[in-house]
Amino acid sequence: MSIPRHMPIAPTGLRRLAPGAGISAHHHDENQIVYAAAGVLSLTTDRGRWIAPATQAIWVPAGTVHEHRAYGRTDIHLLGLPLDANPLNLQAPAVLAVGPLLRELIIEYTRGSEAGDAADYDWTSAGLDRTSADRDRAPASLDASASLDRTSAGLDRNSAERDQNSAELNRNSAERDRLRAVLLDQLRHSPRNPVHLPTPHDSRLAAVCALLHEDPADGRPLARLGAQVGASERTLSRLFREEFHMTFPQWRTQLRLHHALILLAENVPVTVVAHRCGWASASAFIDVFRRTFGHTPGRSR
């Protein structure tokens, strides 16, 4: 991971990434929700890797050094939240299910943020330009009193427009506060999805993981993989439980699902994805995928 940048404020808005593009290592002083409405997005930290299709979002706690990578054309909706806005009390990254309502709330909240900033800036510039133009058009023959009256009237108009704009911004802010409250309430009920590949620390465990990352379709049992890296099946089984808190078969399924999401984002046919990732048949792959993500692989394209 590259040297991380410190970004105190977690941004809110929409960012579009091309296939294979990424966001380099950084960290915020706030929490953040990262949601890819299109494409597939991964998040990597020193603790491991998380990946999410368009039915999932990634929770990033404040202070977490992380980087992103996009697979397929990816629309990322970023939502920054203060430290006290943590409805699930999560202290580590997590993949969360995104239902239809939560999806629309995230999209609307991020869209509103961009529109509000742009409108405010454009209005302020226009108001200043109108005041300047009014002064430039004043006839030279007007006496000082008339010129002062016109200037005063222009300033009054500008002040009234600023007041009107301030009231509109306050209304927008109140609407966004209500929108965020509903969003956080929905998030509070979002199931966590255990799609996570932890980082191995033991060299023997790391060697086995590397072999299967290279070829997720490798179906050799743990004993044969262990023979190649110089570790017994019993030792490796213990390491999987101690470091990853899962069994070897559970970890291998997670690995295959990670690779499957990436291939699907690249528009590889489902039957080919199933074969490349080690499932005996397309139907077996579809069944595991549906039980994990709540939908068939075809919806992840």
Side-chain angles (χ1 to χ4, degrees):
M1 191 177 293
S2 58
I3 298 175
R5 294 169 292 130
H6 179 217
M7 302 172 61
I9 304 300
T12 294
L14 171 64
R15 184 166 182 178
R16 292 185 168 91
L17 295 180
I23 301 175
S24 61
H26 62 285
H27 60 101
H28 314 290
D29 294 338
E30 298 181 319
N31 300 316
Q32 189 175 52
I33 298 169
V34 184
Y35 173 61
V40 170
L41 183 71
S42 71
L43 177 141
T44 302
T45 76
D46 59 355
R47 299 175 63 177
R49 191 165 180 246
W50 292 257
I51 194 165
T55 56
Q56 317 282 320
I58 302 177
W59 174 267
V60 188
T64 301
V65 177
H66 61 285
E67 59 187 26
H68 297 291
R69 185 174 178 185
Y71 300 95
R73 179 186 171 277
T74 304
D75 294 344
I76 305 178
H77 293 265
L78 303 166
L79 201 162
L81 295 168
L83 290 175
D84 59 355
N86 188 348
L88 290 170
N89 196 29
L90 295 172
Q91 306 305 320
V95 175
L96 305 173
V98 175
L101 177 56
L102 183 55
R103 168 190 167 88
E104 295 305 317
L105 289 167
I106 292 173
I107 291 174
E108 180 59 29
Y109 191 86
T110 54
R111 179 189 298 126
S113 174
E114 292 187 332
D117 292 343
D120 182 35
Y121 178 82
D122 291 342
W123 180 89
T124 303
S125 297
L128 292 174
D129 289 343
R130 283 196 298 271
T131 303
S132 177
D134 286 344
R135 288 197 301 269
D136 292 344
R137 286 195 298 269
S141 60
L142 289 177
D143 60 22
S145 177
S147 178
L148 181 60
D149 289 343
R150 177 178 287 273
T151 301
S152 177
L155 291 174
D156 288 343
R157 282 198 306 273
N158 197 40
S159 177
E161 289 173 348
R162 282 199 302 270
D163 291 343
Q164 181 180 2
N165 183 67
S166 178
E168 180 65 23
L169 288 176
N170 288 335
R171 284 195 295 273
N172 290 340
S173 177
E175 290 174 1
R176 286 176 58 75
D177 287 345
R178 292 193 294 271
L179 184 64
R180 191 179 75 173
V182 178
L183 190 157
L184 291 175
D185 188 59
Q186 288 293 308
L187 192 68
R188 186 175 292 108
H189 303 289
S190 294
R192 273 184 277 181
N193 200 318
V195 185
H196 171 216
L197 291 177
T199 299
H201 298 289
D202 187 280
S203 60
R204 296 161 296 181
L205 183 61
V208 170
C209 292
L211 288 173
L212 296 180
H213 269 291
E214 184 69 24
D215 180 14
D218 187 337
R220 286 181 293 171
L222 190 57
R224 289 182 57 193
L225 292 168
Q228 182 171 339
V229 303
S232 68
E233 179 181 11
R234 182 176 179 178
T235 295
L236 290 171
S237 295
R238 175 179 56 80
L239 290 171
F240 271 102
R241 290 193 302 270
E242 289 180 353
E243 291 200 18
F244 295 169
H245 305 290
M246 65 180 90
T247 65
F248 169 64
Q250 289 171 332
W251 176 85
R252 179 148 59 183
T253 298
Q254 295 294 305
L255 173 74
R256 289 175 171 176
L257 287 169
H258 269 68
H259 282 268
L261 284 172
I262 293 170
L263 293 173
L264 289 168
E266 295 170 350
N267 292 316
V268 177
V270 171
T271 53
V272 177
V273 173
H275 174 72
R276 288 188 186 178
C277 294
W279 275 279
S281 65
S283 59
F285 165 53
I286 292 170
D287 180 61
V288 172
F289 194 97
R290 183 192 291 113
R291 284 190 281 110
T292 303
F293 297 109
H295 61 85
T296 61
R299 283 186 55 193
S300 292
R301 296 183 176 282

